[in-house]
Amino acid sequence: METGILEQKLDYTFKDKNLLKKAFTHVSYANEKKCENNEKLEFLGDAILEFVVSKYLYDNHNNLTEGEMTKVRASVVCEASLYDVAKKFNFSDFLYIGKSERAMKGNYRPAVLADSVEAVIAAIFLDSDMEQVEKFIINNLSDIIKDSSKNVGLKDYKTVLQEILQEHGDVSIKYNTIKEQGPDHKKTFTVELLINNKRTSEGQGSNKKQAEMNAAKEAIAQIKKK
């Protein structure tokens, strides 16, 4: 592994390079090479991530109730959010992964990449301290925390739309991402909503989920006008 490039991406230089290597060692590779894998680091990283996000919400979002903070944390400490972080740093290029797993493009699987982010979090903590790992987590997840905090009180428009449409029987509802604009760290997604294969509305958002929600909200508004 060329650690210099990766450390530059992470904005952190490891004192123990072996920790960084272990964080990227998938169990399939470890079984082939008879070496340690990153599963224990994932376990520790998951706990650290949950604590840091909880503390950040407690310190910075006094307006949220305990239940709302729990919902926000769940939307941040999840596979989708961590997968986005892994894609940002091109973690798939650095993973040590077994031959059969690589043949199936396992180094691009969201679950594998999300796990590697947790392992990196633990590796940074073990190599330094909580201050450093907190900096890494907040730098890379603060936008997701911000979006989730804004939307935590909103109705789930996708569910509401589905309930309205299916009152009269089965209906086909599809959301297609038709456009992505802006740099990786600040993208805007545009999603179109198809009802029974007919384009009904579109929505925009800083992530696909938010864009889909806005498309559903627009479709509900159209239905109410009829």
Side-chain angles (χ1 to χ4, degrees):
M1 175 190 286
E2 177 48 65
T3 58
I5 295 172
L6 182 54
E7 288 172 321
Q8 190 175 2
K9 284 175 175 286
L10 297 174
D11 193 26
Y12 178 77
T13 302
F14 277 81
K15 296 184 281 290
D16 182 355
K17 308 297 184 187
N18 287 326
L19 261 177
L20 180 59
K21 180 176 179 180
K22 186 159 71 168
F24 282 89
T25 302
H26 188 258
V27 64
S28 60
Y29 181 91
N31 288 340
E32 285 181 6
K33 302 296 182 180
K34 308 301 178 189
C35 61
E36 289 186 282
N37 62 55
N38 63 5
E39 288 184 336
K40 286 186 178 180
L41 286 174
E42 290 167 22
F43 171 78
L44 178 58
D46 178 63
I48 293 169
L49 176 62
E50 186 160 313
F51 168 74
V52 169
V53 172
S54 298
K55 182 176 180 294
Y56 183 83
L57 289 170
Y58 181 85
D59 290 341
N60 296 280
H61 291 275
N62 293 327
N63 58 310
L64 299 179
T65 66
E66 187 238 351
E68 288 172 337
M69 285 195 290
T70 300
K71 288 180 181 179
V72 173
R73 184 180 64 194
S75 70
V76 176
V77 184
C78 68
E79 182 180 299
S81 297
L82 298 179
Y83 176 55
D84 285 343
V85 174
K87 286 196 298 180
K88 171 183 166 185
F89 291 116
N90 296 322
F91 275 10
S92 57
D93 295 342
F94 299 96
L95 277 169
Y96 290 97
I97 200 158
K99 290 179 181 177
S100 59
E101 188 73 21
R102 186 173 290 277
M104 295 185 290
K105 298 191 181 297
N107 56 316
Y108 292 101
R109 282 201 294 125
V112 171
L113 288 168
D115 287 345
S116 71
V117 175
E118 291 178 338
V120 166
I121 286 169
I124 292 174
F125 171 71
L126 293 173
D127 194 65
S128 57
D129 52 32
M130 185 59 77
E131 184 180 345
Q132 284 291 334
V133 79
E134 192 169 345
K135 176 185 172 187
F136 174 79
I137 291 169
I138 299 307
N139 281 351
N140 290 291
L141 291 172
S142 60
D143 284 347
I144 296 171
I145 294 171
K146 184 179 177 181
D147 286 342
S148 298
S149 300
K150 278 184 186 175
N151 298 325
V152 70
L154 296 180
K155 291 180 181 178
D156 185 345
Y157 291 107
K158 290 174 69 175
T159 301
V160 172
L161 176 64
Q162 186 172 339
E163 289 172 352
I164 292 171
L165 294 174
Q166 293 186 343
E167 282 180 1
H168 307 292
D170 288 338
V171 176
S172 169
I173 305 170
K174 292 181 182 178
Y175 297 89
N176 296 325
T177 303
I178 56 175
K179 193 185 298 180
E180 294 182 23
Q181 291 177 298
D184 287 342
H185 68 282
K186 199 174 182 180
K187 280 197 172 186
T188 298
F189 295 86
T190 302
V191 165
E192 67 172 0
L193 167 60
L194 304 177
I195 299 175
N196 288 334
N197 294 318
K198 181 181 178 182
R199 190 175 187 278
T200 305
S201 63
E202 69 174 46
Q204 290 189 332
S206 56
N207 55 57
K208 290 180 183 179
K209 183 177 179 181
Q210 189 180 51
E212 289 175 358
M213 203 72 78
N214 287 332
K217 182 180 179 182
E218 173 60 26
I220 292 169
Q222 290 181 26
I223 291 169
K224 287 181 177 179
K225 286 179 183 177
K226 293 179 180 178

